[in-house]
Amino acid sequence: VQLQASGGGLVQPGGSLRLSCVVSGVQLDYWAIGWFRQAPGKERDSIACSSSDGTKYYAESVKGRFTISRDNAKNTVYLQMNSLKTEDTAVYYCASDCITPTYPGRPDYWGRGTLVTVSS
């Protein structure tokens, strides 16, 4: 199983970016995929989850601004990030499971991170 995250970059506050996570080696339909981020000097946090049954989770810090979606035919999970703030600056990772307040998943596979920098 491999996950490949991409789409990061430099964006101004208030701007948007869309991250992609391409999953290979398995059929995405049956997998939950989570997005995580790690800001400089901080721990990695779970920010969004797309479950195989269509359930979605968002951390409070991104709720209303970020949208997770998936295209099972393309084996890809997306994270649309709008109204970006400087505090969204972090390395973003996708992983092969989710961690939420009600679901303590254990991701076995992680993609290489993609850096998002929000700065004017």
Side-chain angles (χ1 to χ4, degrees):
V1 180
Q2 290 188 327
L3 295 91
Q4 179 70 48
S6 63
L10 174 64
V11 62
Q12 292 186 341
S16 299
L17 280 176
R18 188 177 79 158
L19 306 183
S20 299
C21 176
V22 178
V23 183
S24 58
V26 294
Q27 190 170 348
L28 182 61
D29 304 57
Y30 307 111
W31 287 67
I33 299 294
W35 281 100
F36 299 76
R37 70 184 181 186
Q38 186 167 19
K42 296 188 178 181
E43 294 185 352
R44 185 155 50 189
D45 292 326
S46 170
I47 59 170
C49 171
S50 171
S51 300
S52 57
D53 66 358
T55 304
K56 299 178 182 181
Y57 158 82
Y58 298 97
E60 286 298 322
S61 59
V62 306
K63 194 175 292 184
R65 300 187 298 122
F66 290 11
T67 302
I68 191 169
S69 62
R70 61 167 62 200
D71 185 337
N72 288 336
K74 296 183 178 180
N75 258 33
T76 302
V77 177
Y78 303 98
L79 186 68
Q80 177 67 43
M81 306 187 296
N82 298 329
S83 302
L84 282 161
K85 306 175 182 180
T86 55
E87 52 262 44
D88 294 318
T89 295
V91 178
Y92 285 70
Y93 302 87
C94 56
S96 62
D97 202 352
C98 297
I99 298 175
T100 76
T102 58
Y103 177 73
R106 301 180 67 176
D108 290 323
Y109 304 99
W110 292 83
R112 296 180 70 176
T114 184
L115 177 62
V116 173
T117 303
V118 185
S119 175
S120 55

